[in-house]
Amino acid sequence: ADPEMVEKRVNQEANASEHFPFTVLITKGGKTLDFTLTHMDGELVLDGMTHYDEPNLARDFSAEGMSKKERFYQGPAMAELNSSLVSGMISYLEARGIDDDFAAFVAQYSYWLEQAEYEKWLRKVVQFTS
């Protein structure tokens, strides 16, 4: 293998690991805010936010639930909002423990979980083929 190609692949994988998307649901008074976030370059980034009047719908990942959610207004592009509003939303999340450290933990835990699943898969394949 060409060493440059291997290095390029490794660097691409490292760069990909610096951008980790995840979702946080906060329910209050029977309503839910669904925050779409990214852990990017060690920082929490707000990508989007949707409001649901039914908290169960926010947690429904069935085909029917996803179809219903697609009909909701997903909110504006965060880049179009006033930066102080976006900062206020980040502060709201930080006050609830959803901050840069939490995002880093979620990313690291997800990588660990993926590795554990991969190792379990490998063991099953080895057992099957032995």
Side-chain angles (χ1 to χ4, degrees):
D2 182 5
E4 282 187 27
M5 292 302 290
V6 172
E7 182 177 337
K8 184 176 181 183
R9 236 178 315 177
V10 169
N11 287 341
Q12 286 173 344
E13 289 172 8
N15 287 339
S17 69
E18 293 173 9
H19 300 85
F20 182 82
F22 64 100
T23 300
V24 170
L25 303 175
I26 298 179
T27 301
K28 175 181 171 185
K31 300 181 186 324
T32 299
L33 282 178
D34 180 338
F35 294 91
T36 305
L37 304 157
T38 302
H39 178 246
M40 185 165 33
D41 300 326
E43 189 174 320
L44 182 66
V45 177
L46 177 60
D47 298 318
M49 184 175 53
T50 305
H51 177 269
Y52 296 103
D53 288 329
E54 303 172 35
N56 290 337
L57 179 58
R59 292 177 185 84
D60 187 352
F61 295 101
S62 69
E64 181 181 349
M66 297 304 283
S67 177
K68 285 180 183 179
K69 287 194 262 190
E70 287 176 3
R71 291 183 240 149
F72 279 84
Y73 176 61
Q74 300 298 308
M78 293 294 115
E80 296 174 2
L81 293 176
N82 181 304
S83 62
S84 63
L85 177 60
V86 175
S87 294
M89 290 286 84
I90 293 289
S91 295
Y92 175 84
L93 291 166
E94 288 173 343
R96 286 149 184 82
I98 312 301
D99 56 12
D100 297 342
D101 291 337
F102 175 81
F105 168 79
V106 169
Q108 296 226 341
Y109 181 75
S110 295
Y111 296 131
W112 173 84
L113 189 59
E114 172 68 24
Q115 184 65 32
E117 289 294 318
Y118 171 68
E119 290 173 10
K120 185 166 103 178
W121 176 83
L122 275 177
R123 281 192 300 277
K124 288 180 178 183
V125 169
V126 166
Q127 285 175 344
F128 183 86
T129 58
S130 296

